[in-house]
Amino acid sequence: MSGLFYCPSVASATTPTDEEKDEALSSYNIALIGGDGIGPEVVAEAMKVVAATGVEVDTTSYDLGASRYVRTGEVLSDAVLEELRGFDAILLGAVGPAIGSKEVPPGTLERGLLLKLRFELDLYVNMRPFATPPQSADSSVAKVDFVVIRENTEGTYAGEGGFLRKGTLAEVATQGSVNTRFGVERAIRFAFELAQSRAAKHLTLVHKTNVLTFSGDLWQRTFDLVSVEFPEVGVAYNHVDAACIYMVESPQRYDVIVTDNLFGDILTDLAGAISGGIGYAASANLNPARTGPSLFEPVHGAAHDIVGTGLANPTAAIRSAALMLEFLGETAAANAIFSVLDSFSPDAGSTTSQIGNAIAERVSNASN
Ligand code: IPM
Ligand code: MN
């Protein structure tokens, strides 16, 4: 069966080798991209918590994002991209102009910075875990614990398409969806391996195979073929529109979800909303083949309206930093942060840095 596949297993790549574990003893080179709005605030709290684990990191800050673009006209130069390739990991806060700002045309930062990093660094898995935060335990909020694996380099995000007769009444605009067997398979394979490692061992493919009969067919066939290699993993299929209903009405059904780039973008905002709010949603843009650094960022945006107020919730950035430590092989440090986050609920009215300090203190106590 495996002869059918182009992708080698990523199992060995997702678990650091002994050599990589030896490296874990020295310090890691981390690029920090605070970005815009509340980005720098939440990254600062995340790095406090990383420091509290005792894992040694050398950080280099990069000034990238909307304000940098407005000041200099530069989004991401080739030289900076090349520098970033040399780091062990990248932690990003948020980038984007204030809503209504006309200084940054739509797509400038999305395509020029975030997607450029995802594509150039081949961050082909966007892993987004969702778990109900502790303060919701007694409320009517459903207890959920699932992970969305979003294919991160293809689909409608690939940028295929263009204009014909632009600006005329006869204008044509196309925006294609690029789905390669290679790209689809590596995302699906990662999702199966993740599902296999979890207690529930369940994987749901989300797509729209009833309408997207070309790309959906490729996704379904590839899913079915890979599933043969994971007999212990139970599988399901949901159309994306139905998945939106299920996610609101009975999200406990989900363990791991795998889906394409655009469906994954939309579904993970919904998942954030039903699992405590987007202030808790972390993400890991992974290059599981480890041909370069992976990038970790909260799902939320720059939230310019609350800059400097102390209202920004640093939890998503802190969890993203824990995902970074986990991917670097610092399992104990990552687990120390995860277990604090699983039981920590901030006092009402706590500010961004009070939350960061409280989590850092608990992590430090657990790590010593
Ligand atoms: C996300 C964001 C990005 C995306 C944008 C900012 C390019 O919404 O990370 O979910 O669409 O992937
Ligand atoms: Mn999004």
Side-chain angles (χ1 to χ4, degrees):
M1 218 48 193
S2 57
L4 285 170
F5 303 124
Y6 296 111
C7 292
S9 165
V10 295
S12 56
T14 46
T15 324
T17 60
D18 284 346
E19 221 168 73
E20 280 161 346
K21 278 187 188 143
D22 284 345
E23 281 173 25
L25 298 173
S26 61
S27 99
Y28 297 98
N29 289 317
I30 309 293
L32 299 181
I33 304 173
D36 302 304
I38 61 168
E41 299 176 15
V42 297
V43 164
E45 300 312 315
M47 292 314 294
K48 265 186 206 166
V49 175
V50 168
T53 65
V55 172
E56 285 196 24
V57 293
D58 274 332
T59 59
T60 308
S61 291
Y62 283 85
D63 175 23
L64 296 168
S67 68
R68 160 82 190 267
Y69 171 74
V70 169
R71 266 185 289 115
T72 68
E74 195 167 280
V75 180
L76 176 65
S77 69
D78 290 345
V80 171
L81 176 62
E82 286 317 305
E83 273 186 45
L84 289 172
R85 285 186 201 281
F87 285 87
D88 295 315
I90 303 168
L91 184 66
L92 187 147
V95 296
I99 292 169
S101 149
K102 300 246 175 340
E103 291 174 307
V104 187
T108 307
L109 295 170
E110 291 83 351
R111 289 226 165 261
L113 180 55
L114 289 175
L115 299 184
K116 190 166 174 183
L117 288 171
R118 290 178 189 174
F119 296 167
E120 287 289 334
L121 301 176
D122 205 20
L123 307 175
Y124 61 87
V125 163
N126 195 328
M127 181 171 81
R128 298 184 159 179
F130 298 92
T132 318
Q135 63 266 42
S136 316
D138 302 325
S139 74
S140 58
V141 176
K143 196 107 187 87
V144 302
D145 179 9
F146 62 88
V147 184
V148 178
I149 299 302
R150 163 185 175 187
E151 197 292 319
N152 212 30
T153 54
E154 301 192 343
T156 42
Y157 279 68
E160 194 237 28
F163 297 107
L164 260 179
R165 303 186 290 263
K166 189 176 181 187
T168 72
L169 289 178
E171 175 163 355
V172 178
T174 64
Q175 191 99 46
S177 174
V178 175
N179 296 265
T180 70
R181 167 61 191 268
F182 173 79
V184 169
E185 183 182 332
R186 62 185 183 169
I188 288 175
R189 189 172 286 285
F190 183 93
F192 268 105
E193 286 174 357
L194 177 65
Q196 169 95 33
S197 74
R198 288 168 58 92
K201 297 197 192 327
H202 193 268
L203 179 63
T204 305
L205 171 65
V206 170
H207 209 282
K208 185 74 184 175
T209 55
N210 53 342
V211 173
L212 305 183
T213 52
F214 308 132
S215 60
D217 193 63
L218 174 60
W219 273 83
Q220 182 73 68
R221 275 185 288 117
T222 308
F223 185 87
D224 293 344
L225 281 169
V226 178
S227 80
V228 174
E229 293 175 52
F230 296 88
E232 288 171 42
V233 177
V235 293
Y237 170 81
N238 293 162
H239 290 318
V240 65
D241 47 353
C244 291
I245 298 178
Y246 298 147
M247 189 148 287
V248 172
E249 290 189 344
S250 55
Q252 301 85 348
R253 71 174 64 212
Y254 293 121
D255 179 33
V256 181
I257 290 173
V258 65
T259 191
D260 92 342
N261 209 339
L262 182 59
F263 296 147
D265 177 48
I266 298 165
L267 208 56
T268 53
D269 268 19
L270 180 59
I274 60 108
S275 61
I278 207 76
Y280 291 91
S283 82
N285 294 265
L286 301 177
N287 173 336
R290 296 179 189 271
T291 56
S294 290
L295 183 152
F296 302 80
E297 57 172 339
V299 177
H300 64 68
H304 288 265
D305 51 331
I306 57 167
V307 172
T309 61
L311 289 173
N313 184 351
T315 308
I318 293 169
R319 189 177 283 276
S320 301
L323 292 172
M324 174 178 83
L325 291 175
E326 184 177 46
F327 194 70
L328 289 171
E330 295 292 343
T331 317
N335 287 341
I337 301 176
F338 291 139
S339 73
V340 168
L341 291 179
D342 286 346
S343 62
F344 174 80
S345 54
D347 298 332
S350 298
T351 64
T352 309
S353 62
Q354 284 166 346
I355 297 173
N357 290 343
I359 294 173
E361 196 187 316
R362 285 168 172 75
V363 168
S364 166
N365 291 339
S367 307
N368 290 321

